[in-house]
């Protein structure tokens, strides 16, 4: 659980996107189940209000306990730190913009309101859970959110999170026959509401289908861009949007990727984020651990 012996090579290796090696073994850590758990969905008049509510819930030190996975087929492995990406924390409400909420509602058959939406799960002792629910309901109300109905039975909570876990497929269903491209950024919480609102406007101005979803409590959100790969003009609009999104995050003091990694598409943004000296340092590490460039060559660097 605690170690200060040398460099943190585990984090370096796990976060390397396969460019330094591959995993042959994983260790599972078990945690006790809480005494009581409750989940809920809240709808808001706009994305800014939903994100502001999230920030205020965290500022009030309400111990939010649950998030969904990343919006993609490898979500559950990535969320456990078993594949590329860095998500390992369960501390954030889930955010869906109105497009994603509508898509998830239709795909799951739950019929969500077409509105910016938060999914939250709280846990603790019976007494502490009741106080957390009271605090959360008050903050939601102050941000114009809907009244909350709490789900405490495992089956009902499971339905809520299954809806969120299927966000990738729900987004693809918006345009049958098209492909999906998921991108993400992460920014300081203080800048998150502005960046989310600006990104939403950029999507509208670009004429793109790009529902937004994310673990906004840690400043991270995703856009799932659904587009026709056979249309070069639309593909170019998608590329231009992703570059603007990354640079918007950098300008806000954030990072061009919170979870998805650099791969091929964000190599230029990695240089802008780390600078040439930082990039040269990464190349030195790559050369030391993979001198023959056998591991995922061409990616990241």
């Amino acid at each position: 659980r605690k170690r200060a012996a040398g460099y943190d090579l585990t984090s370096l290796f796990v976060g390397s996107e396969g460019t330094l090696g591959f995993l042959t073994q994983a260790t599972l850590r078990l945690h006790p189940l809480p005494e009581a758990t409750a989940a809920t969905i809240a709808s808001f008049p706009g994305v800014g209000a939903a994100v502001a509510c999230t920030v205020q819930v965290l500022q009030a030190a309400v111990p939010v306990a649950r998030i969904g996975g990343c919006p993609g087929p490898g979500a559950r492995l990535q969320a456990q730190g078993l594949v590329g990406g860095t998500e390992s924390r369960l501390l954030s409400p889930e955010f869906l913009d109105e497009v994603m909420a509508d898509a998830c509602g239709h795909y799951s058959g739950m019929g969500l309101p077409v509105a910016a939406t938060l999914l939250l799960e709280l846990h603790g002792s019976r007494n502490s859970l009741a106080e957390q629910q009271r605090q959360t309901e008050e903050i939601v109300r102050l941000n114009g959110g809907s009244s909350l109905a709490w789900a405490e039975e495992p089956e009902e909570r499971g339905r809520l999170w299954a809806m969120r876990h299927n966000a990738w497929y729900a987004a693809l269903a918006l345009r049958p026959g098209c492909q999906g491209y998921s991108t993400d950024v992460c920014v300081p919480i203080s800048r998150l509401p502005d960046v989310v609102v600006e990104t939403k406007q950029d999507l509208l101005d670009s004429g793109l289908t790009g529902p937004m979803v994310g673990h906004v409590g840690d400043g991270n959100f995703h856009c799932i861009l659904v587009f026709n790969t056979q249309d070069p003009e639309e593909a170019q609009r998608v590329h231009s949007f992703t570059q603007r999104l990354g640079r918007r995050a950098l300008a806000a003091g954030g990072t061009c990727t919170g979870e998805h990694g650099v791969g091929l598409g964000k190599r230029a943004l990695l240089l802008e984020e780390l600078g040439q000296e930082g990039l040269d340092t990464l190349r030195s590490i790559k050369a030391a651990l993979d001198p023959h460039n056998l591991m995922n060559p061409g990616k990241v660097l």
Side-chain angles (χ1 to χ4, degrees):
R1 287 184 176 274
K2 190 174 183 180
R3 185 188 320 179
Y7 299 144
D8 188 355
L9 298 179
T10 301
S11 294
L12 171 67
F13 190 84
V14 171
S16 70
E17 301 181 50
T19 61
L20 300 180
F22 52 88
L23 297 174
T24 60
Q25 179 178 323
T27 300
L28 178 66
R29 178 177 293 167
L30 301 179
H31 295 269
L33 292 174
E35 178 186 354
T37 306
T40 192
I41 294 177
S43 299
F44 294 84
V47 294
V51 175
C53 179
T54 298
V55 173
Q56 292 167 28
V57 165
L58 296 177
Q59 288 174 335
V62 178
V64 179
R66 176 82 180 261
I67 64 174
C70 306
R76 297 184 186 186
L77 289 177
Q78 191 178 77
Q80 297 170 60
L82 301 182
V83 298
T86 57
E87 177 180 17
S88 60
R89 48 202 176 276
L90 300 178
L91 300 170
S92 169
E94 278 294 292
F95 161 73
L96 312 174
D97 75 350
E98 74 280 3
V99 180
M100 190 77 260
D102 190 32
C104 286
H106 279 96
Y107 190 82
S108 66
M110 292 186 66
L112 291 178
V114 183
T117 301
L118 288 182
L119 284 75
L120 305 98
E121 185 165 286
L122 311 174
H123 67 200
S125 67
R126 289 287 178 186
N127 290 337
S128 67
L129 180 61
E131 175 60 19
Q132 293 170 33
Q133 289 172 302
R134 185 196 64 76
Q135 285 181 283
T136 301
E137 289 169 0
E138 176 66 11
I139 295 170
V140 168
R141 184 187 64 79
L142 290 173
N143 286 278
S146 60
S147 58
L148 302 183
W150 294 93
E152 298 192 15
E153 294 301 318
E155 295 80 9
E156 194 173 355
R157 288 189 285 111
R159 285 183 64 234
L160 293 180
W161 291 106
M163 174 199 67
R164 166 60 183 87
H165 289 148
N166 286 324
W168 173 261
Y169 305 104
L172 293 182
L174 292 172
R175 295 183 65 183
C178 290
Q179 300 295 312
Y181 181 93
S182 185
T183 188
D184 84 308
V185 294
C186 191
V187 299
I189 289 292
S190 61
R191 296 298 310 277
L192 184 63
D194 290 340
V195 172
V196 168
V197 170
E198 290 168 12
T199 301
K200 182 70 176 174
Q201 188 61 52
D202 193 356
L203 283 167
L204 294 173
D205 294 343
S206 302
L208 294 172
T209 301
M212 296 171 64
V213 61
H215 335 302
V216 288
D218 58 10
N220 185 214
F221 68 93
H222 312 256
C223 296
I224 306 178
L225 300 157
V226 186
F227 69 105
N228 180 4
T229 56
Q230 303 306 310
D231 182 344
E233 189 274 335
E234 186 177 17
Q236 180 57 47
R237 279 189 285 133
V238 167
H239 174 73
S240 297
F241 169 81
T242 61
Q243 298 299 298
R244 288 195 302 274
L245 176 61
R247 292 188 173 103
R248 184 178 300 120
L250 295 180
T255 175
C256 66
T257 175
E259 293 174 352
H260 289 192
V262 173
L264 295 173
K266 293 188 175 180
R267 288 187 300 184
L269 292 171
L270 183 64
L271 174 60
E272 294 178 29
E273 181 168 338
L274 300 182
Q276 190 60 55
E277 185 175 0
L279 214 56
D280 289 343
T281 302
L282 297 187
R283 288 197 174 100
S284 297
I285 295 171
K286 167 73 170 172
L289 298 182
D290 181 23
H292 301 296
N293 196 29
L294 300 178
M295 302 296 174
N296 223 358
K299 298 292 181 68
V300 183
L301 302 175

